[in-house]
Amino acid sequence: EDQVTQSPEALRLQEGESSSLNCSYTVSGLRGLFWYRQDPGKGPEFLFTLYSAGEEKEKERLKATLTKKESFLHITAPKPEDSATYLCAVQANSGYSTLTFGKGTMLLVSP
Amino acid sequence: GAVVSQHPSWVICKSGTSVKIECRSLDFQATTMFWYRQFPKQSLMLMATSNEGSKATYEQGVEKDKFLINHASLTLSTLTVTSAHPEDSSFYICSARDSSSGGGYTFGSGTRLTVV
C-alpha cells in the first residue's frame, strides 16, 4: 500500500526565515511525486511534479527535491503570503494509479 | 494553464435531501475526473474515479448508491450526495488532468457541504 508521511504537521516561521518541509513516501515504483499548495476553504493548487531521484524544480521562493525515499520542499526567505498548507502526493507506476496524499504541513509565516 | 471549475462552493441542505456538485474542465477535455473528500486537518481521500461514458470506479468503503457520479461529457462530471445526513458534511473536491499539456492534476476550488 502506498504511503505518504509529511513533517512537520505545522511550522511557524518569521518572514525571511528559510526552512524545509519533508515528504517521506513508500510506493511500489514511483511514477510521480506532486507538491500542492492549499489555502483554507480552497482546492489544492499545483506546484511541482518530480519524476526521478535527483530531480529538482524551482518556482519563485520554492524549490522541490526528490530522493528515492523522500522529497523536500525548500522555502527561501518566505513571505506572509506563503502561508498555506502544503500537500505532497505520490502516484505509483502501476497500470492505473491514482494519487495518494499526505496530511500536509500547515505553514504560517509571520511578518 | 488547465482550469477546473467546481460549483457550488458551499451548500447547506436538510437531512434526507440530495445535493448535486458539478465539476467542469474549462479549457481541456477530461476523459477521467476524480472526486475527493477532505475532513479538517486530514488528507484528501479519493472517493471515486469518474469515467466519461462509463460507470465510475469507487474506492473501497464508498457507497456507490449514496454518492452518484455521472460523467456525461468530456468536460463535465457531477457528484450527487443522495439522502444526505450530517455525517456527510465535508469538503468535496474534484480533479482532472490535462494530459495534452503534460501538467499535473488540476483541482477544483472545492465544495463545503453542511447537512443540518
Side-chain angles (χ1 to χ4, degrees):
Chain A
E1 183 180 339
D2 303 336
Q3 288 191 330
V4 178
T5 303
Q6 290 187 248
S7 62
E9 285 188 19
L11 179 63
R12 188 164 190 159
L13 299 174
Q14 288 295 118
E15 185 172 3
E17 180 186 1
S18 301
S19 188
S20 296
L21 312 182
N22 178 264
C23 172
S24 298
Y25 65 90
T26 54
V27 65
S28 53
L30 180 70
R31 176 179 292 179
L33 184 141
F34 301 80
W35 281 99
Y36 288 87
R37 168 191 172 129
Q38 186 177 25
D39 293 299
K42 302 291 185 182
E45 175 187 341
F46 173 73
L47 294 174
F48 305 107
T49 307
L50 301 169
Y51 296 102
S52 58
E55 189 176 0
E56 298 183 352
K57 288 192 177 175
E58 287 187 66
K59 180 179 178 180
E60 295 180 355
R61 296 177 292 280
L62 300 177
K63 179 180 176 180
T65 62
L66 180 65
T67 72
K68 290 186 178 180
K69 294 182 179 180
E70 58 191 350
S71 176
F72 291 94
L73 184 66
H74 307 278
I75 303 177
T76 303
K79 298 181 177 181
E81 53 261 42
D82 294 322
S83 298
T85 295
Y86 290 86
L87 300 170
C88 172
V90 298
Q91 185 181 28
N93 201 17
S94 59
Y96 179 79
S97 176
T98 56
L99 298 182
T100 299
F101 279 87
K103 291 185 178 181
T105 293
M106 186 183 300
L107 174 66
L108 177 62
V109 182
S110 303
Chain B
V3 177
V4 172
S5 175
Q6 186 174 341
H7 293 281
S9 56
W10 62 270
V11 58
I12 302 173
C13 71
K14 290 185 177 180
S15 187
T17 62
S18 296
V19 172
K20 180 184 284 188
I21 303 170
E22 291 190 350
C23 181
R24 294 179 186 273
S25 56
L26 294 188
D27 48 2
F28 66 101
Q29 294 183 332
T31 54
T32 303
M33 291 185 176
F34 305 91
W35 287 96
Y36 292 84
R37 182 172 181 174
Q38 186 179 34
F39 291 105
K41 298 185 179 180
Q42 296 296 314
S43 296
L44 276 75
M45 298 300 296
L46 180 67
M47 298 174 64
T49 302
S50 171
N51 305 297
E52 188 269 334
S54 64
K55 291 183 179 180
T57 305
Y58 290 82
E59 295 299 303
Q60 191 173 10
V62 177
E63 300 176 59
K64 58 181 68 177
D65 293 332
K66 180 166 195 58
F67 298 99
L68 300 180
I69 290 173
N70 184 281
H71 195 152
S73 77
L74 287 171
T75 59
L76 175 64
S77 175
T78 61
L79 169 68
T80 300
V81 183
T82 63
S83 186
H85 288 95
E87 57 265 31
D88 299 323
S89 299
S90 188
F91 193 55
Y92 294 86
I93 314 174
C94 68
S95 171
R97 182 170 183 258
D98 181 6
S99 56
S100 65
S101 71
Y105 292 82
T106 301
F107 286 80
S109 56
T111 298
R112 171 69 61 190
L113 170 63
T114 302
V115 184
V116 297

